[in-house]
Amino acid sequence: MRPFDTFVMVDWSAARDRGPAPKPDAIWATVARAGRVEEPVYLRNRRVAERWLAEFIEAELAAGRRVLAGFDFPFGFPAGFAERLTGRADPLALWDWFAAELEDDGSVNNRFALAGRINARFPGTGPFWFNGARGDIPFLPRRGSERHGHGMAERRAAEARAPGSFSVWQMGGAGAVGGQAMTGMAALSRLRARLGQAVAVWPFEPPEAPVVLTEIWPSLLAEAVQAATRPGDIRDAVQVRVVAAALARLQEEGRLEEVLAAVPDEARAEEGWILGVGAEEALREAARAVAGAGLVPPRLKDDCFAMPQGVAWVPVDEALARLRAALHPVTGRERLASSRAAGRVLAADAIARRANPPRPNSAVDGYGFAHAATGPGINRLPLVQGRAAAGQPFEGRVPEGYAVRILTGAILPEGVDTVVLEEDCATDGLTVAFDGPVKPGANTRRAGEDVEEGAVALPAGQRLRPPDIALLSALGIAEVEVFRPLRVAVLSTGDEIVPDPALPAAPHQIWDANRPMLLALVERWGHVPVDLGHARDDARAIARALDQGAREADVILTSGGASAGDEDHVSRLLRERGRLTSWRIALKPGRPLALAMWQGAPVFGLPGNPVAAFVCALIFARPALSLMSGAGWLEAQGYTVPAAFSKRKKPGRREYLRARLTPEGAAEVFRSEGSGRISGLSWATGLVELPDGALDVEPGTPVRYLPYSGFGL
Ligand code: AMP
Ligand code: MG
């Protein structure tokens, strides 16, 4: 079987569409491809879902990719049902029958009436039941217990083996599988007609075609879904992510074929089968792995940046606290060889596999012996044959009253607890002499004195530096669990911007300073920069760039167009389509910070002014990105120095001045506070932070200096 490139999972719904706001019980779909699980797509009704699915699959086919698509509704009914309706025991003929008979505008459908009409063809009462309509429907009983004599089995063979699953005959209420099956089969019948030979329906057809449709019951993976769910998450959205990721994982483990093959022959003929029933453990193991490994990273809420109404100016510290509360790590996890993990962030504590040092050893080159046999004054101990060296342990025991030649790093031989330094000894090759008394245990290293076995060697959240790699290796930790790198997209906006300094610029144009600066910052901070280029002040162009950013990155930084002016297209677009909250932060330089969500990706709208963009990136973006990458929140690091300047600072806004230290260690500031003066950023080696309140600074006044290095630069 050729491997699948793309896994799609769709959580279907027969419910009525009541508006554009995401509803928990609407249709959710997600895609797992190339080791990543994408944000679930909200599909507000069946018509939207059907079009999305067809277009998505066509695009995958055009790109030469093979697709496995899973759906959470039954692909068949209990044996005998298809023949009664279509004259043939063919489940796919039944799909076409529903496509022809069901009236569904995508939101409202006639499934209850249709269930009644079907019941009329059966003897007795049933098999369908449950009436979601107010008035009575001919032949459709309201309660399951009213049914009798219709001759159909209550469950398919697959459902009989899936405890907790619902019967296909129930048309409404909790567990209304019947309505989902009818609407779903009708939709997939049209998809088959559209895609023709490219599609195979499992298990009725062999899973060899470019596109394979399968039935999956996500509740099989309830435990993993639970583990991947955070408070406030929409369950169906989490569910599709877990299932899609688990299928991809199964294939990676080479177990997908086995799971696709676990179908009884009878089920292939008419009833169909639930993928994973009969191979539950394989599927669950894969799901546990992806949920536990955070391959399904939790997403941020669309309203995570909401500000309480009526907030005027937010002090910097409050803005930082809010940002910190709104965010959490958003990237998945993976296991990496420790030697390749420098720069990555630990997603789980690294635990010492054994103690360091594993056994007591000698800290010096010298002579080892039992302390008990020594005393004050000159000690003379006969030497035993042989020696103890690093990597060449001394075999056997050193009797009390004897000494042994020992080298740095050698395990203390049995009978040795103390070592004297070679320089403090005299020896003729047979005896060793040294001055007493010596301290018991002198010049030795205790087992585990560095790290005990089982101890946390490095905590989750640690960004691994070269010495950390040494420690991991020393403790026998060959592999670590790390977060996938945070991908940070950067976009510049503005009609006046020329994206590349190699291009000519007219006098009314300026070369893009922010994007190269922000991309370089992102890289310095250990994230993966994604260059979105430059967009003109045009909503469509900006939206296209943001779309790309949401697809290819975890976070988007924009600069320019972020305040409320006429030309500020970024904030207008984000307000209309991205749940924008403008945070009016009492900060200079820096206008409002625009925070929004674009298709699941947080957007930080930084000021256009390069000085303000830089300061806002350092103060706000740096800790926020760090938190999202799994490395935790970061405080700016600084210290107090005397001022080498004078300034009357007004109350109200916290100010950041471009500054550097004089040879005497006082902070001087750039000659101009003009925020267009990019040269001042290069002149400076850090920032002076002046508090929110008023302050008269004279030479010698203590001020807080934040060196660039404290921002990781
Ligand atoms: P805006 O926030 O778009 O009103 O821009 C404020 C100021 O920053 C204007 O003078 C812009 O020309 C300038 N600016 C905006 N984006 C950039 C950029 N990427 N590089 C350099 N200057 C910029
Ligand atoms: Mg602009």
Side-chain angles (χ1 to χ4, degrees):
M1 192 176 76
R2 188 156 80 81
F4 293 98
D5 305 288
T6 306
F7 297 85
V8 194
M9 178 65 207
V10 180
D11 193 299
W12 195 250
S13 168
R16 180 180 195 149
D17 174 8
R18 288 199 172 81
K23 267 199 327 172
D25 67 342
I27 301 175
W28 293 88
T30 202
V31 173
R33 190 170 48 194
R36 282 198 182 264
V37 195
E38 292 182 8
E39 283 301 315
V41 190
Y42 170 67
L43 300 162
R44 57 176 284 189
N45 64 40
R46 288 178 295 284
R47 182 168 290 174
V48 171
E50 206 175 312
R51 186 174 339 117
W52 177 85
L53 188 64
E55 287 172 2
F56 176 80
I57 291 179
E58 279 170 351
E60 292 299 287
L61 288 174
R65 290 197 274 261
R66 215 176 158 226
V67 181
L68 179 73
F71 300 85
D72 70 333
F73 54 81
F75 279 12
F77 278 82
F81 182 76
E83 185 159 17
R84 180 71 70 123
L85 292 199
T86 67
R88 287 194 289 151
D90 175 358
L92 297 176
L94 185 62
W95 286 21
D96 299 341
W97 190 89
F98 279 120
E101 299 294 327
L102 187 82
E103 290 158 27
D104 186 2
D105 68 3
S107 169
V108 181
N109 59 59
N110 67 339
R111 65 182 188 277
F112 296 111
L114 184 60
R117 270 169 40 214
I118 296 171
N119 278 356
R121 298 181 175 216
F122 285 81
T125 305
F128 288 109
W129 67 279
F130 195 104
N131 180 0
R134 197 163 291 186
D136 284 344
I137 291 176
F139 299 101
L140 185 63
R142 288 194 181 266
R143 286 203 301 273
S145 57
E146 294 169 46
R147 297 173 303 154
H148 59 86
H150 53 73
M152 287 286 110
E154 188 59 14
R155 283 165 191 281
R156 299 180 299 155
E159 280 139 13
R161 290 184 44 189
S165 64
F166 288 86
S167 140
V168 286
W169 305 124
Q170 186 180 334
M171 290 301 298
V177 175
Q180 300 221 15
M182 286 183 190
T183 52
M185 288 177 189
L188 292 189
S189 158
R190 288 186 287 271
L191 184 72
R192 282 185 80 223
R194 178 163 168 168
L195 299 175
Q197 292 298 309
V199 182
V201 181
W202 178 91
F204 310 128
E205 300 169 321
E208 306 293 345
V211 180
V212 176
L213 310 181
T214 62
E215 171 190 342
I216 303 180
W217 186 48
S219 298
L220 282 178
L221 305 181
E223 212 180 294
V225 170
Q226 189 64 35
T229 305
R230 295 174 65 99
D233 275 350
I234 292 181
R235 188 185 169 77
D236 288 3
V238 178
Q239 215 159 253
V240 289
R241 297 178 71 110
V242 171
V243 175
L247 291 173
R249 172 84 180 203
L250 264 183
Q251 175 168 280
E252 264 172 44
E253 291 170 352
R255 304 189 68 182
L256 183 59
E257 263 180 281
E258 161 199 334
V259 174
L260 283 167
V263 187
D265 280 341
E266 315 81 72
R268 292 179 196 278
E270 184 179 346
E271 290 195 342
W273 195 251
I274 297 168
L275 185 78
V277 168
E280 287 86 347
E281 254 333 285
L283 188 60
R284 285 190 184 131
E285 242 169 60
R288 265 197 297 276
V290 296
L295 258 188
V296 187
R299 62 200 298 261
L300 294 171
K301 304 280 169 304
D302 266 354
D303 61 354
C304 68
F305 296 130
M307 269 279 185
Q309 290 292 312
V311 170
W313 285 93
V314 190
V316 171
D317 287 337
E318 192 187 329
L320 289 171
R322 283 179 181 279
L323 205 51
R324 185 175 188 170
L327 300 172
H328 57 71
V330 296
T331 63
R333 305 170 184 202
E334 60 188 335
R335 293 192 70 80
L336 269 191
S338 306
S339 56
R340 291 182 45 225
R344 303 292 290 270
V345 177
L346 280 182
D349 293 346
I351 305 295
R353 251 181 58 196
R354 69 173 196 190
N356 187 46
R359 302 279 296 280
N361 68 26
S362 176
V364 298
D365 290 349
Y367 296 87
F369 45 81
H371 181 265
T374 66
I378 292 181
N379 290 272
R380 283 197 186 79
L381 302 178
L383 282 169
V384 297
Q385 279 274 335
R387 58 169 208 168
Q392 292 166 15
F394 178 85
E395 309 287 349
R397 189 184 162 78
V398 176
E400 195 169 307
Y402 284 73
V404 66
R405 173 74 173 139
I406 192 164
L407 300 178
T408 308
I411 290 178
L412 300 187
E414 223 184 313
V416 173
D417 58 18
T418 303
V419 176
V420 271
L421 196 63
E422 156 180 292
E423 288 86 333
D424 296 337
C425 296
T427 179
D428 57 3
L430 297 171
T431 323
V432 61
F434 53 88
D435 267 341
V438 289
K439 277 206 331 218
N443 297 313
T444 64
R445 302 167 178 150
R446 203 164 41 75
E449 71 170 20
D450 183 22
V451 182
E452 299 279 4
E453 181 183 330
V456 173
L458 292 166
Q462 171 97 16
R463 194 178 282 282
L464 297 172
R465 305 155 305 165
D468 302 325
I469 304 298
L471 179 59
L472 292 171
S473 199
L475 298 175
I477 304 173
E479 266 199 351
V480 282
E481 192 165 323
V482 292
F483 286 105
R484 287 179 189 269
L486 186 77
R487 300 162 304 168
V488 184
V490 177
L491 174 69
S492 283
T493 67
D495 283 343
E496 76 281 28
I497 305 294
V498 176
D500 182 348
L503 297 173
H508 64 279
Q509 294 182 311
I510 58 174
W511 284 294
D512 189 351
N514 291 345
R515 187 166 50 96
M517 170 179 76
L518 293 170
L519 288 167
L521 283 175
V522 163
E523 190 156 31
R524 266 294 178 100
W525 291 333
H527 315 302
V528 176
V530 176
D531 187 355
L532 296 179
H534 156 258
R536 299 182 59 87
D537 285 322
D538 166 68
R540 283 238 299 278
I542 300 169
R544 246 197 324 273
L546 293 175
D547 283 347
Q548 186 193 343
R551 265 195 321 272
E552 297 179 3
D554 305 299
V555 197
I556 304 171
L557 305 182
T558 69
S559 71
S563 65
D566 287 352
E567 297 300 319
D568 290 322
H569 297 267
V570 177
S571 46
R572 173 141 27 99
L573 185 68
L574 292 176
R575 189 171 317 111
E576 284 164 12
R577 293 178 48 194
R579 298 289 217 118
L580 173 82
T581 318
S582 274
W583 288 22
R584 305 215 304 154
I585 300 168
L587 160 89
K588 187 180 169 188
R591 285 178 307 175
L593 184 64
L595 294 164
M597 293 295 291
W598 190 271
Q599 292 174 14
V603 182
F604 286 68
L606 302 170
N609 203 296
V611 175
F614 180 73
V615 168
C616 284
L618 262 46
I619 303 298
F620 297 105
R622 175 173 174 262
L625 295 178
S626 176
L627 184 57
M628 282 187 278
S629 76
W633 188 260
L634 296 171
E635 304 287 348
Q637 286 178 6
Y639 44 91
T640 302
V641 298
F645 62 97
S646 307
K647 179 182 165 69
R648 299 190 80 110
K649 184 196 169 291
K650 289 185 284 195
R653 294 206 281 170
R654 184 170 301 183
E655 285 192 34
Y656 292 92
L657 308 175
R658 284 148 280 177
R660 67 183 186 190
L661 295 183
T662 64
E664 294 72 41
E668 57 175 335
V669 295
F670 192 55
R671 60 190 144 77
S672 159
E673 287 185 20
S675 59
R677 307 275 187 110
I678 306 180
S679 67
L681 291 177
S682 289
W683 172 91
T685 55
L687 303 173
V688 156
E689 181 186 57
L690 299 180
D692 299 357
L695 185 69
D696 273 347
V697 182
E698 298 300 336
T701 307
V703 291
R704 193 164 147 76
Y705 174 69
L706 309 173
Y708 285 168
S709 61
F711 292 105
L713 304 183

